[in-house]
Amino acid sequence: KHSDNTQVGVLNKIMNHQLDPQIIIFGSSSGEVGISPHILMEHTNLTAYNCSIDGTRFMQYKGLIDEFQSYSKNNKYVIMVETYFTFEKSNAIMSMERYLPHLDNDNVYKSLFEMQPDLSWKCRYVPFYKYIAATHVYYKNAVIGWKNVFKKHPDTALGYFPVNRNWEADAD
């Protein structure tokens, strides 16, 4: 719950109610690498944060939007960066380990339960079952979280993870 590492850090900031920008960005990797909160802040004079999480469809991160909406006092604009597959129904949760610490939150649980009810229910209610769904990423973030309990690091990227790519003719 205390890790600030990449997408887990973004998720934790929402769940711990540490974010309340005037502009918030949600989406998958398209938003994560494509929308700079720094540029938005420069041109709008409003605070901004990018909460996009790679590989995540709307129905999965809807719980994060609901949680953010439940506590936000400053938000004026929500930017949704979507790709063609985002509203397609899915029955597989992407990177369940990111959400394991927050399954006690009803907003997160409901969005995951709609996708994969059996796994979500077991991870929430069966003791120690969530550790079956945990990968090395979960344990890595647990260590980072414990380090952060003692020493915080500033988030200068504001959730933005740019990717520099060249357009290649064979990409057509």
Side-chain angles (χ1 to χ4, degrees):
K1 290 185 177 184
H2 300 287
S3 177
D4 58 1
N5 187 38
T6 61
Q7 293 87 13
V8 171
V10 168
L11 192 141
N12 286 339
K13 285 180 175 124
I14 292 171
M15 299 311 298
N16 296 329
H17 300 187
Q18 295 171 323
L19 295 177
D20 197 10
Q22 294 165 309
I23 302 171
I24 193 161
I25 304 135
F26 285 102
S28 60
S29 60
S30 310
E32 181 187 32
V33 302
I35 306 290
S36 169
H38 297 287
I39 292 173
L40 286 173
M41 291 188 318
E42 181 182 319
H43 290 283
T44 63
N45 292 321
L46 299 172
T47 58
Y49 200 91
N50 192 332
C51 292
S52 299
I53 299 175
D54 71 333
T56 306
R57 295 178 175 180
F58 173 78
M59 63 189 299
Q60 185 169 333
Y61 67 75
K62 181 185 179 307
L64 301 178
I65 294 172
D66 292 342
E67 184 64 23
F68 176 74
Q69 181 267 327
S70 75
Y71 73 83
S72 177
K73 304 277 188 250
N74 296 322
N75 185 250
K76 295 181 181 201
Y77 302 101
V78 175
I79 298 173
M80 307 273 298
V81 183
E82 304 303 337
T83 57
Y84 63 93
F85 67 84
T86 197
F87 294 108
E88 184 179 273
K89 186 138 176 82
S90 175
N91 60 356
I93 297 168
M94 174 71 167
S95 301
M96 180 67 165
E97 67 275 0
R98 295 175 182 164
Y99 300 87
L100 291 175
H102 304 290
L103 283 174
D104 58 334
N105 180 285
D106 288 335
N107 289 321
V108 170
Y109 179 71
K110 280 189 250 179
S111 67
L112 299 179
F113 187 83
E114 285 180 28
M115 294 178 71
Q116 211 168 345
D118 189 50
L119 176 63
S120 301
W121 188 90
K122 286 177 182 175
C123 285
R124 185 173 182 174
Y125 295 109
V126 175
F128 305 109
Y129 191 86
K130 71 179 181 180
Y131 299 112
I132 292 171
T135 66
H136 71 285
V137 174
Y138 176 83
Y139 297 105
K140 173 184 166 188
N141 281 299
V143 170
I144 292 169
W146 277 109
K147 287 180 182 177
N148 286 342
V149 167
F150 301 107
K151 184 178 180 186
K152 297 266 186 216
H153 298 97
D155 180 5
T156 56
L158 303 176
Y160 176 55
F161 301 97
V163 174
N164 295 316
R165 293 189 177 131
N166 292 327
W167 184 261
E168 303 293 334
D170 62 349
D172 294 341

